[in-house]
Amino acid sequence: MKVDNLSDDQIRQLVGQMKRNNVSYSQIDQYAAQRGIPDTEVAKLKARIQQLNLDRELSGTQTKNDNSLLTDSTSRRYDGQSGDTLYYWQEKYKQLKSKEEFEKELKRRKIFGTELFSNQNLTFEPNLRMATPPNYRIAAEDELIIDVYGYSEVQHKLKVNPEGYVRIPYLGPVYVNGLTMDEAKERITKQLGTIYGGIRTGNTSVQLSLGNIRSIRVTLIGEITRPGTYTLPSLATVANALYVSGGPNENGSFRSIDVVRNGKKMATFDLYDFLLHGDLTNNLVLQDQDIVKVNPYKMRVELSGEIKRPAIFEAKEDESLQQVLDFAGGYTDNSFRDVIRALRVNNKEREFVNIPADSVAAFRLRSGDRFFVDSIVNRFTNRVTIAGAVFHPGDYALEANMTVSDLIKRADGLLEVAATSRGVIRRLKDDFTPAIINFNVLDALAGKENVPLQREDSVIIFSKLSIREQYLVKIDGEVNQPGYFAHGEGMRLEDLILLAGGLKDAASLKHVEIARRIRTGGAYDSTDFRLAITEQFDINADLSTNPSAAEYVLQPFDEVTVRRSPSYKEQANVLVDGEVVYPGIYAINTQKEHISDIIRRAGGLKPEASAEGAVLLRRTFNNQEDSTFLLSKLEIFYNKVKDSIDVERTRATVNRNEQLLGIQLDEILAHPGSKYDLFLEQGDVIRVPKKLQTVQFFGEVYFPKKVRFDKGFTFRNYIRAAGGFTSQALRRRSYIVYANGEVKSTRKMLFFNSYPKVKPGAEIYVPTKPERKGMSAAAVTGLASAVASIALVIVTIINTTK
């Protein structure tokens, strides 16, 4: 193979063959070596592929809208170029950054017909599945399928060579270039008759069809979105060429598209024939070297408002406004058709034109006209409305001599909750300002008050429920579902308790209280200081009617409170954990049960238990406000003293609504009932640890760590075991937190520090000295000035007193 002798179309066909075989651009060398192509020719082939921008197709960049491979049931194929597809240019359009280009494209999209070239579902691909047209002219690179059948059976697939011949086996070359399919069939049949005698006698027949079709080169010029030369299948039409080139641009005509062949205009294509009537009779099949020229538009007008297809339309000189309205699909249902408003550009200035309905058909257009079709007024000629407490509220037609009573009857009458003493009519006066007319509903229905209705009247029948505050009663306390309930006439105390889900187990049957609003309805009494009327009743356990409360009917907004029985007690539990014989949860027997009592019930301490390290956790806060208040106080305290205590640990304890109490369990067990033996409360947790044998250091020591507890060591001995105090240590503020939570701090004895005693499990804390900052130059200057001022005042006073 000599690459230099291959045409561009042959290179494209070769690339198409590689794609069908799933050969990528990087695999061309291997693919060529398998077919015996020399390396020098492979290099030339890759250079030609890059020159034609076909390397992207072999790199997997082909898209679903690419026209480079079209197939049908007859194996007819066409290999094209991906750069000519709409999808490629749509992707390019997304990358446009220029605001000017964006606005230009936006204006173009308003032109009627541009959606034809931006719709990915409409490709205008040539139909390769149809029968070959009889007037199709055969040319080089077409593939002819010659089928001989009858007494003789043979089939040939022959390609037309560049000289226009097909070489038929055992017959020789036959010239077919420029012939139609019918003419080529007649010539080939005549030639085959020389070797197949059955053809002359009629016992053998010949059929000629088209296989793979050739490519043609078509040039698109003029007002086109992407002018240039495109490679298309030989069955491509004008519409195919326009589609792959993006269609007319913002100045291009949709109605004047010329096809030039050999210097002569062959036809003029009007896209509106297809857009409006689906007519493609003028969609000429293109030939090689044809030129498609899109002329500039001569007249465009814009239609907006209440029409079916608002857009910019192209019109011819002999067309009127009525024809353009037909292009737009006509008026919408809500259009105002009496007058169309137009904005026209004259030679020097702009003007408005009113076009009556009877002048639309004869109105002559001018390029740049902008027509606006308004909508009808949102008013009704005979509408009346009824709303509120009727069975069928809504809009109704105003009839002759219609009254309020007639309209209520049209709405199927009043609801049972209707307020019949008064209704209103909202009416628009002649100047369309609102007015209110009232009437008696019962009198109107009885015919005593005939109120005639007018256009746009709105009758409102009020509901008794909507013109008063919602009637509710409230129940709180020891019921299963406390809250608000709708009041009903005749509701009694027991009824409300049942609606609230009944009584809780702790509810008291005595002194159920009802609080009622004070409704005097009379003159103001300055001596009346009452805020509510309260009554107390006893109820039965089965909520049967109690004679004392039987006559007391609940009124709207009454509030019922069911108290807790004073003798009702729920179980109170404490948790004993750690080194006791029987750890677990225990119920408190009496209100005066001590810590020693619960330890005794738990079997006492185990031998390895540390009584000195026992702690008691007690729930002390009932709500979030209490805990937040305590946290704020603790933070203020710790910020003042600047100790190194574990504030976060204290915060976590308070957030759990628990407080650590230091107890002396050894004293408690030795002296039950003493001042150390506290009473137990609900939720208490007693933890008894194992015997502790270490002491922990925190803060300003050189080596904070745990050390073994030694009974003979003093506070200073332990500090020396941790490396001693650092230079930043605040020794006089050192303190110890014992295992049971008790805290003891260092005391000052004359000029010496008296350190607390160390016990097993203790934590020694050594705080940091507060940071001292030297005075700045400005502060020194200010202090000196103040001292000088004071000295001057003192001298002045002394001199004055002499």
Side-chain angles (χ1 to χ4, degrees), residues 463-474 484-488 517 519 555-558:
S463 169
K464 296 177 183 178
L465 302 179
S466 63
I467 58 176
R468 72 181 188 190
E469 185 179 356
Q470 185 180 5
Y471 283 179
L472 300 174
V473 289
K474 179 184 178 183
Y484 289 90
F485 295 87
H487 174 265
R517 293 182 180 181
R519 300 181 181 90
Q555 294 183 5
F557 313 111
D558 281 355

Side-chain angles (χ1 to χ4, degrees), residues 45 75 245 258 383 443 660 676 695 709-711 745 760 772 778:
L45 177 61
S75 300
S245 62
D258 297 335
R383 180 180 65 173
D443 290 346
L660 180 67
Y676 303 106
V695 175
F709 173 76
D710 193 325
K711 190 174 182 180
S745 59
R772 294 183 179 180

Side-chain angles (χ1 to χ4, degrees), residues 3-70:
V3 177
D4 295 334
N5 296 334
L6 297 178
S7 64
D8 292 346
D9 290 339
Q10 290 173 323
I11 295 293
R12 292 189 179 94
Q13 292 176 2
L14 184 59
V15 170
Q17 184 180 0
M18 292 180 185
K19 290 176 63 178
R20 290 192 293 273
N21 293 328
N22 297 323
V23 178
S24 65
Y25 184 79
S26 60
Q27 297 173 334
I28 291 180
D29 295 330
Q30 182 180 357
Y31 179 79
Q34 293 175 354
R35 284 154 180 76
I37 301 176
D39 294 340
T40 55
E41 297 298 322
V42 174
K44 293 179 182 179
L45 177 61
K46 295 174 71 173
R48 289 286 299 278
I49 291 174
Q50 288 182 342
Q51 183 180 359
L52 296 174
N53 294 325
L54 299 177
D55 53 333
R56 293 174 302 174
E57 297 189 25
L58 296 178
S59 300
T61 59
Q62 185 178 2
T63 64
K64 64 179 180 179
N65 286 327
D66 199 347
N67 293 335
S68 61
L69 183 59
L70 305 175

Side-chain angles (χ1 to χ4, degrees), residues 20 55 75 98-99 207 237 255 341 377 481 520 540 554 586 596 698 753 758:
R20 290 192 293 273
D55 53 333
S75 300
S98 171
K99 180 180 179 182
Q207 183 178 8
T237 62
R255 311 193 63 182
R341 290 177 286 167
V377 179
Q481 298 174 6
T520 59
N540 298 322
L554 296 180
Y586 289 85
S596 60
F698 295 96
N753 294 328
V758 182

Side-chain angles (χ1 to χ4, degrees), residues 211-224:
N212 292 348
I213 62 176
R214 69 183 185 276
S215 300
I216 61 173
R217 302 281 286 178
V218 178
T219 302
L220 285 91
I221 60 174
E223 300 299 329
I224 196 76

